[in-house]
Amino acid sequence: MALSASDLPAMYSLLSNSMSGDESIRKPAETALSMSESRPGFCSCLMEVITSKDLVSHVDVRLLASVYFKNSINRHWRHRRDSSGISSEEKMHLRRKLLSHLREENFQIAEMLAVLISKIARIDYPREWPEVFSVLAQQLQSADVLTSHRIFMILFRTLKELSTKRLTVDQRNYAEITSHFFDYSWHLWQTDVQTILHGFSTIAQSYNSNPLEQHHDELYLTCERWFWCLKIIRQLVISGFPSDAKCVQEVRQVKDVCPVLLNSIQSFLPYYSSFQKGHPKFWEFVKRACRKLMKVLVAIQGRHPYSFGDKCVLPTVVDFCLNKITDPEPDLLSFEEFLIQCMVMVKCILECKEYKPSLTGRVMDESGITLEQMKKNVSSVVGGVLASLLPNERIVLLCNVLIRRYFVLTVSDLEQWYQSPESFHHEQDMVQWTEKLRPCAEALYIVLFENRSQLLGPVVVSILQESMSNCPTSVTEITPGLLLKDAAYGAAAYVYYELSSYLNFKDWFNGYLSLELSNNHPNMRIIHRKVALILGQWVSEIKDDTKRAVYCALIRLLQDKDLSVKLAACRSLCLHIEDANFSERDFSDLLPICWDSCFKLIEEVQEFDSKVQVLNLISVLIGHVSEIIPYADKLVQFFQKVWEESSGESLLQIQLLIALRNFVIALGYQSPCCYPMLLPVLQKGIDVNSPDEINLLEDGMLLWEATLSHAPTMVPQLLACFSCLVEIIERSFDHLQVAVSIIESYVILGGREFLSMHASSIAKLLDLIVGNVNDRGLLSTLPVIDILIQVLELLSHKQPVRELHNGGDDHDPSKASVKASSVAILARILVMNTNHLAQLTSEPSLSLLLHQAGMPIEENILLCLVDIWLDKVDNMTSIQKKTVALALSIILTLRLPQVLDKLDQILCACTSVILGGNDDPTEEESSGDVMSSSRFHGDGPIPREEFRRRQIKFSDPINQLSLENSVRDNLQTCAALHGDSFNNTISRIHPSALAQVKQALKLP
């Protein structure tokens, strides 16, 4: 039943009650609203609540109504099969109502209305709502400041929404919108700039007077409108024109807009200092405006690099940014967000591949000029401009400024370090480079050095030598010299690869770095932290004769008193241990100290990132050192304690599960020594009913897989875990491959004891998987069924027959492989128990499946299988080929005249297998061998599961049978059964084929 105007009071009450703190009131209201969503008129009622003049003061109810409206658009605006959606008449009413309510005074409601319009426009424009932009444009002509502000907000949201549509027709529509709106928006934006600058000038001159607050409010609203208009201009320039990097077509608007944007920045910047104290609201706007204007320039350069490279744009922007970086006004030094954007701009230009020699292939344009040549021409021009802007002197100056000014720790940095070493460490090393000034300067420096390493290599070495000379290793006071040395060490660390040609690490380490560590004064933590960074970054340049000393230095840093230094050493140690040239021989005697230091460090740290970093080092150590057993008891105690303390911190528990998996793999067949600690953790990790299931399950299953793979014997606790696998697979197939590997491990390790406990669960799992997963999933599952039949003689599985029905298109390689594996399993059943296959295929349900697979049910099922075996035998592995050949030889013993019709093909297939031998280089592997990353590799003791797998392969009845003897004997039986008919059939076989049969069977 449709909702109408009479339902408005009830709708208001439901919305109001749904925000109640009393659950007994809130829950029924939420349920009623949820049930009303699909009713006609629901959105219209919400719209009336949002726009009602009587409810202006009830912002929370109106805001909630707009949220429900937005959700209804997502769910019901499009017509779906399961829902009739919102009627065309109601949609028309809602669109009209939205465009008539543009002057919303509350900003939050106005913002939500803009979102609603943009969501609807994405679906309905231009087919159902062609007038949306023309109505908004018409309203702009006579709008006051508030209304125009709201319209620009709507326009921006809508343009942003439409820009994400990538179809050609949608992009064409967007280009048309741009052609209509750009000029008007650009003109209004320029007018607003002048209005704002005039207002700022008036405020600055009347600093001591008492200006009208109303004038300030109107000016601020103009500022906000200007801001939305700027966003629209950015959106139109970025999305309204094809990128000139692809089409090499000049975008005129780039040349029109960018110089004006730069002039606006230059006009706004003086007010950064003059408004800082007296006008905080406008000061914040100036900061936002300058930062946003630079971001727009960066975005335009990235989208239209060739147009941006024009001589009226690129030189002025680059020159401006470089001047602000190298010689900023004193007040501007505190405006870090703006300096960051200047650095981002210079970095983007230095990295821009369009400004470098083109390496693209020859793509012909219609005019005959290649796009490659066009790009080379533009790149050559821009390259010349950049070369004139960045002479060697300016590059060297920029490098010096970055190191000597922006790399140097400030007083506030040192204070933060003193207050919280952990926070300081993570802020310096893990923050996004575009968010903080120093990381941004470091990123720019790295790009600058990569571009001009031959010029800057000697410069950086010179700064390094100067800083080391002016600040000997014995200095303990925090002087400018010590801070410069810290900056120079950082500069040397970041470009280790390029700098290694100019700086010998061994001499540097022995002459300076190792001596720095002998000074234990607290202030030396500044240098110690950088030494730790250098030792990690330069890992690839450290030769064998220096490794031992470097390892000792890092262990010493790991025992430093300062947490920031310890964490830096922790990360660098990880890099060394993971290095391909890690020398365990040089590190082995340091292991006890390293373990103890890690255990102590995780006790000291408080932050999540710190704990993860230490856990990562422990995990890496476990995975890369061979001597784990002597430290097993300590590690067990460590894992037990950390797991108990990590309750509720699922992200930390994930890292623990990863480390535990490495621990189990490292322990190998001795892994049961950690079971008292491990198995309860494993139970938690694979519990699908746990609140942390979504975070822990993936790593929990990998730990489960590793535990089974390295278990010497099956223990009751592991047997009991198997029931969890059914619950996991019932929920989803997201972890199917690991689950199949786990099933296989249970079958191999648990044997008949496992089957006696969980036969019904296995059957349920296989029924869940087969027929419900894709071909990749089936290919990983069918080998497990094969092992079940092989090891446990479990001959009741219907799944291979079902897959004959689900095989699909034989031209699809994956489907063909599934079908081949399925019929190979049926062949195994026939070889191991001929009568059972006949019984299995005679079941009515399976007869129906075979009929659906295209087999005529009036024929003998085994004869139908012969056709499939003959068709698929070439797509099989060696063991599968032999199995099928044995099955085909058994077919020869059937008392059916149709066997003689297939005799030629059967003998040909069997002969091919006998003479071919084991010609498959990728001998059949179990599913687990392919998927499990924790399987046996390398030399050393063979894990129990691997040993059992080899035993199973060796004792496979198929391997024990002689195909040659089987074919020879069954051929004689066939001759005895069919007499002259057999002889007649043999006489019709081609002589060369018959000769091959005799050769294979060693017949006279």
Side-chain angles (χ1 to χ4, degrees):
M1 184 177 175
L3 295 168
S4 63
S6 61
D7 295 299
L8 278 175
M11 181 65 66
Y12 172 80
S13 297
L14 288 174
L15 290 166
S16 182
N17 290 341
S18 67
M19 293 185 290
S20 171
D22 187 342
E23 189 173 348
S24 62
I25 298 174
R26 186 179 70 253
K27 286 290 184 183
E30 289 175 344
T31 304
L33 285 168
S34 179
M35 292 174 64
S36 301
E37 269 191 17
S38 57
R39 292 174 64 184
F42 179 70
C43 289
S44 296
C45 280
L46 293 174
M47 191 68 211
E48 293 302 321
V49 171
I50 296 168
T51 59
S52 174
K53 293 181 179 179
D54 297 333
L55 299 177
V56 170
S57 60
H58 299 266
V59 176
D60 51 352
V61 175
R62 296 171 67 211
L63 198 57
L64 184 60
S66 64
V67 171
Y68 270 97
F69 193 171
K70 178 175 73 72
N71 293 339
S72 293
I73 292 170
N74 295 335
R75 294 169 188 161
H76 304 292
W77 199 269
R78 296 181 191 271
H79 289 286
R80 305 181 189 278
R81 292 179 182 177
D82 58 343
S83 170
S84 59
I86 301 170
S87 68
S88 299
E89 294 77 14
E90 186 176 1
K91 286 181 183 179
M92 195 179 301
H93 164 73
L94 290 169
R95 290 193 294 256
R96 219 171 21 240
K97 187 80 173 177
L98 283 166
L99 290 181
S100 68
H101 191 77
L102 298 176
R103 202 181 189 283
E104 171 59 53
E105 295 191 3
N106 182 276
F107 178 77
Q108 286 181 297
I109 304 293
E111 198 167 33
M112 281 304 298
L113 288 170
V115 171
L116 295 174
I117 292 172
S118 68
K119 294 279 184 188
I120 295 171
R122 179 179 175 83
I123 301 169
D124 288 357
Y125 179 82
R127 187 171 299 174
E128 304 295 332
W129 203 9
E131 74 278 8
V132 56
F133 288 106
S134 59
V135 170
L136 291 172
Q138 186 179 358
Q139 296 271 14
L140 271 176
Q141 306 300 325
S142 58
D144 59 11
V145 177
L146 177 62
T147 306
S148 60
H149 174 274
R150 299 312 192 227
I151 293 173
F152 275 118
M153 186 192 298
I154 292 166
L155 280 170
F156 170 69
R157 295 284 182 192
T158 307
L159 289 169
K160 188 175 181 181
E161 191 75 41
L162 292 177
S163 70
T164 61
K165 301 177 74 173
R166 307 313 305 159
L167 294 178
T168 304
V169 64
D170 295 319
Q171 293 183 352
R172 198 161 47 240
N173 289 333
Y174 202 95
E176 187 178 347
I177 296 169
T178 301
S179 66
H180 290 138
F181 265 92
F182 180 81
D183 289 337
Y184 177 81
S185 301
W186 180 232
H187 174 73
L188 180 63
W189 185 87
Q190 290 177 291
T191 304
D192 278 351
V193 166
Q194 298 307 315
T195 303
I196 293 167
L197 289 174
H198 177 73
F200 282 2
S201 175
T202 303
I203 293 172
Q205 291 172 8
S206 60
Y207 184 81
N208 296 321
S209 63
N210 186 20
L212 294 173
E213 193 64 33
Q214 184 180 355
H215 173 70
H216 279 204
D217 290 343
E218 187 174 341
L219 179 61
Y220 189 74
L221 197 56
T222 303
C223 291
E224 290 297 310
R225 181 180 68 182
W226 172 90
F227 211 88
W228 285 109
C229 199
L230 175 63
K231 289 182 177 183
I232 289 171
I233 291 162
R234 176 198 179 279
Q235 201 68 47
L236 293 175
V237 174
I238 298 296
S239 303
F241 305 94
S243 171
D244 66 9
K246 296 178 181 177
C247 61
V248 202
Q249 290 182 356
E250 182 183 85
V251 180
R252 176 187 55 80
Q253 287 76 3
V254 172
K255 294 195 293 184
D256 293 341
V257 167
C258 292
V260 180
L261 296 183
L262 185 62
N263 288 335
S264 299
I265 295 172
Q266 293 170 319
S267 300
F268 280 132
L269 274 178
Y271 295 104
Y272 173 77
S273 55
S274 59
F275 284 175
Q276 188 165 3
K277 294 180 179 178
H279 302 280
K281 187 165 68 170
F282 289 116
W283 182 63
E284 286 295 332
F285 168 78
V286 168
K287 290 201 298 180
R288 276 200 304 145
C290 292
R291 187 169 63 244
K292 185 64 179 180
L293 286 164
M294 279 304 304
K295 283 186 173 183
V296 172
L297 287 171
V298 170
I300 292 174
Q301 189 279 329
R303 175 70 173 173
H304 305 297
Y306 292 132
S307 300
F308 193 90
D310 188 86
K311 61 183 180 181
C312 70
V313 180
L314 184 68
T316 53
V317 173
V318 171
D319 196 56
F320 171 81
C321 290
L322 287 175
N323 286 336
K324 293 304 174 187
I325 294 168
T326 57
D327 189 25
E329 295 81 357
D331 292 330
L332 199 61
L333 279 171
S334 63
F335 194 1
E336 292 192 358
E337 299 96 327
F338 180 73
L339 291 174
I340 286 171
Q341 293 308 316
C342 290
M343 291 181 184
V344 170
M345 173 59 81
V346 176
K347 178 177 178 289
C348 289
I349 290 170
L350 290 174
E351 284 183 310
C352 183
K353 66 180 187 296
E354 284 79 17
Y355 297 162
K356 296 175 181 178
S358 175
L359 301 176
T360 57
R362 295 177 65 85
V363 181
M364 295 301 293
D365 188 298
E366 290 180 359
S367 63
I369 304 172
T370 65
L371 285 174
E372 174 193 2
Q373 191 59 49
M374 293 170 67
K375 290 181 179 181
K376 282 184 177 179
N377 293 341
V378 180
S379 297
S380 176
V381 173
V382 177
V385 172
L386 279 176
S388 64
L389 286 168
L390 295 167
N392 288 351
E393 299 78 14
R394 200 169 195 182
I395 292 286
V396 171
L397 172 64
L398 179 59
C399 179
N400 266 284
V401 168
L402 289 173
I403 296 172
R404 295 175 185 273
R405 179 184 300 157
Y406 295 106
F407 283 20
V408 174
L409 293 172
T410 63
V411 174
S412 62
D413 291 328
L414 295 173
E415 180 62 27
Q416 183 188 353
W417 189 343
Y418 177 79
Q419 295 291 338
S420 178
E422 271 188 88
S423 299
F424 176 81
H425 168 78
H426 294 303
E427 184 172 310
Q428 297 302 306
D429 285 14
M430 296 185 181
V431 74
Q432 274 283 342
W433 66 272
T434 53
E435 293 178 6
K436 292 284 183 179
L437 186 59
R438 186 179 300 103
C440 190
E442 291 165 355
L444 173 57
Y445 162 76
I446 291 168
V447 172
L448 188 69
F449 197 97
E450 287 172 351
N451 276 269
R452 304 295 292 272
S453 58
Q454 291 184 343
L455 172 66
L456 296 179
V459 173
V460 174
V461 171
S462 173
I463 296 172
L464 183 64
Q465 290 173 341
E466 174 197 333
S467 66
M468 292 188 298
S469 299
N470 294 339
C471 182
T473 56
S474 57
V475 170
T476 58
E477 296 297 320
I478 301 179
T479 62
L482 183 129
L483 294 176
L484 177 61
K485 183 163 70 170
D486 170 73
Y489 276 3
Y494 304 136
V495 292
Y496 64 93
Y497 184 76
E498 293 86 355
L499 202 61
S500 59
S501 303
Y502 304 93
L503 186 62
N504 181 281
F505 178 82
K506 182 180 179 181
D507 295 342
W508 185 26
F509 178 78
N510 292 331
Y512 291 94
L513 300 181
S514 60
L515 300 179
E516 303 281 14
L517 303 184
S518 61
N519 187 342
N520 292 319
H521 191 278
N523 288 338
M524 287 304 291
R525 61 184 176 167
I526 298 171
I527 301 300
H528 288 178
R529 181 176 172 276
K530 277 295 161 61
V531 171
L533 174 67
I534 290 167
L535 298 182
Q537 293 293 100
W538 281 70
V539 60
S540 60
E541 305 301 320
I542 299 173
K543 308 303 180 188
D544 290 342
D545 57 352
T546 318
K547 285 184 185 293
R548 168 70 184 180
V550 170
Y551 294 159
C552 291
L554 283 170
I555 293 295
R556 183 171 181 175
L557 288 165
L558 195 62
Q559 298 172 289
D560 198 276
K561 294 179 181 179
D562 185 83
L563 271 181
S564 183
V565 175
K566 290 182 181 182
L567 290 169
C570 182
R571 186 194 53 237
S572 292
L573 263 174
C574 275
L575 295 173
H576 277 270
I577 295 164
E578 289 180 312
D579 182 52
N581 297 315
F582 172 62
S583 172
E584 188 176 348
R585 177 176 53 83
D586 290 328
F587 193 81
S588 57
D589 64 316
L590 301 173
L591 263 176
I593 307 171
C594 189
W595 288 123
D596 288 341
S597 299
C598 288
F599 298 155
K600 290 177 183 175
L601 182 54
I602 208 158
E603 294 279 344
E604 291 180 60
V605 297
Q606 301 295 321
E607 295 189 15
F608 166 77
D609 289 330
S610 304
K611 293 177 182 178
V612 168
Q613 202 169 324
V614 182
L615 266 177
N616 186 47
L617 174 57
I618 290 171
S619 185
V620 166
L621 275 169
I622 290 170
H624 287 79
V625 299
S626 54
E627 289 297 318
I628 289 296
I629 304 300
Y631 313 103
D633 289 342
K634 284 189 175 181
L635 283 165
V636 167
Q637 293 172 17
F638 164 77
F639 284 125
Q640 180 78 49
K641 186 174 187 299
V642 177
W643 180 263
E644 290 171 357
E645 292 174 352
S646 67
S647 177
E649 296 183 66
S650 57
L651 294 178
L652 183 59
Q653 289 181 335
I654 289 171
Q655 300 301 318
L656 277 164
L657 291 172
I658 294 169
L660 277 171
R661 180 170 175 269
N662 287 342
F663 185 42
V664 169
I665 294 169
L667 288 174
Y669 66 91
Q670 297 190 49
S671 57
C673 72
C674 71
Y675 280 5
M677 171 275 302
L678 176 70
L679 296 180
V681 172
L682 179 60
Q683 285 278 10
K684 170 76 172 175
I686 61 176
D687 182 7
V688 293
N689 298 312
S690 165
D692 297 322
E693 172 263 337
I694 193 169
N695 295 317
L696 302 184
L697 185 58
E698 180 178 354
D699 293 292
M701 289 190 70
L702 289 171
L703 174 60
W704 192 2
E705 178 197 33
T707 303
L708 289 166
S709 298
H710 295 83
T713 57
M714 184 61 72
V715 296
Q717 297 95 317
L718 279 174
L719 273 175
C721 287
F722 186 78
S723 57
C724 296
L725 197 60
V726 179
E727 293 185 71
I728 292 168
I729 295 299
E730 279 180 333
R731 293 203 175 193
S732 77
F733 295 118
D734 291 346
H735 312 289
L736 176 65
Q737 292 202 345
V738 180
V740 168
S741 178
I742 288 169
I743 296 171
E744 184 184 36
S745 294
Y746 270 107
V747 172
I748 292 171
L749 195 64
R752 294 188 177 278
E753 180 190 3
F754 162 68
L755 181 63
S756 65
M757 285 184 65
H758 296 289
S760 61
S761 295
I762 296 172
K764 188 174 182 180
L765 274 171
L766 294 176
D767 280 335
L768 278 170
I769 295 169
V770 178
N772 293 309
V773 299
N774 60 20
D775 298 322
R776 185 183 175 196
L778 287 170
L779 284 172
S780 64
T781 306
L782 289 172
V784 175
I785 299 174
D786 192 58
I787 287 178
L788 281 166
I789 295 168
Q790 180 182 334
V791 177
L792 305 174
E793 298 180 9
L794 192 65
L795 302 175
S796 61
H797 280 290
K798 306 173 185 178
Q799 282 84 0
V801 182
R802 183 185 299 170
E803 281 318 303
L804 295 181
H805 167 53
N806 294 332
D809 183 8
D810 284 351
H811 296 294
D812 185 333
S814 61
K815 294 188 183 301
S817 298
V818 168
K819 201 166 188 178
S821 297
S822 300
V823 295
I825 293 173
L826 291 173
R828 176 181 287 280
I829 296 174
L830 177 62
V831 173
M832 293 177 66
N833 191 326
T834 305
N835 293 331
H836 182 79
L837 182 62
Q839 294 168 8
L840 185 65
T841 54
S842 65
E843 291 185 18
S845 60
L846 293 183
S847 295
L848 179 61
L849 282 175
L850 289 169
H851 178 62
Q852 290 172 341
M855 297 185 186
I857 56 176
E858 61 273 7
E859 288 190 21
N860 186 286
I861 296 299
L862 292 177
L863 291 177
C864 294
L865 287 174
V866 168
D867 291 332
I868 304 177
W869 283 330
L870 291 170
D871 182 47
K872 297 298 177 187
V873 69
D874 292 333
N875 296 330
M876 297 178 179
T877 61
S878 297
I879 191 69
Q880 288 176 334
K881 287 179 180 179
K882 184 179 179 183
T883 306
V884 167
L886 286 167
L888 289 170
S889 74
I890 292 172
I891 295 296
L892 296 175
T893 65
L894 296 179
R895 292 178 178 273
L896 295 171
Q898 296 95 322
V899 169
L900 296 179
D901 297 336
K902 305 178 188 296
L903 181 61
D904 187 1
Q905 293 172 283
I906 290 173
L907 289 176
C908 180
C910 293
T911 301
S912 176
V913 175
I914 293 170
L915 296 178
N918 186 7
D919 58 356
D920 188 351
T922 57
E923 179 59 51
E924 179 184 27
E925 293 178 325
S926 69
S927 60
D929 288 328
V930 178
M931 294 174 296
S932 171
S933 58
S934 62
R935 299 297 188 193
F936 169 69
H937 298 286
D939 302 323
I942 301 173
R944 173 72 172 176
E945 184 185 344
E946 181 65 23
F947 181 71
R948 284 291 307 276
R949 184 178 281 106
R950 294 183 185 184
Q951 277 188 322
I952 291 166
K953 187 174 181 180
F954 181 76
S955 61
D956 185 352
I958 302 299
N959 284 329
Q960 307 303 316
L961 294 172
S962 167
L963 177 59
E964 180 185 329
N965 293 340
S966 177
V967 176
R968 188 189 306 113
D969 294 344
N970 291 334
L971 190 62
Q972 292 173 356
T973 303
C974 185
L977 287 171
H978 299 284
D980 291 340
S981 298
F982 174 82
N983 294 330
N984 291 335
T985 303
I986 290 291
S987 67
R988 289 195 295 270
I989 298 176
H990 194 279
S992 61
L994 191 59
Q996 277 195 326
V997 172
K998 290 180 178 180
Q999 177 191 350
L1001 301 181
K1002 297 183 175 63
L1003 296 174

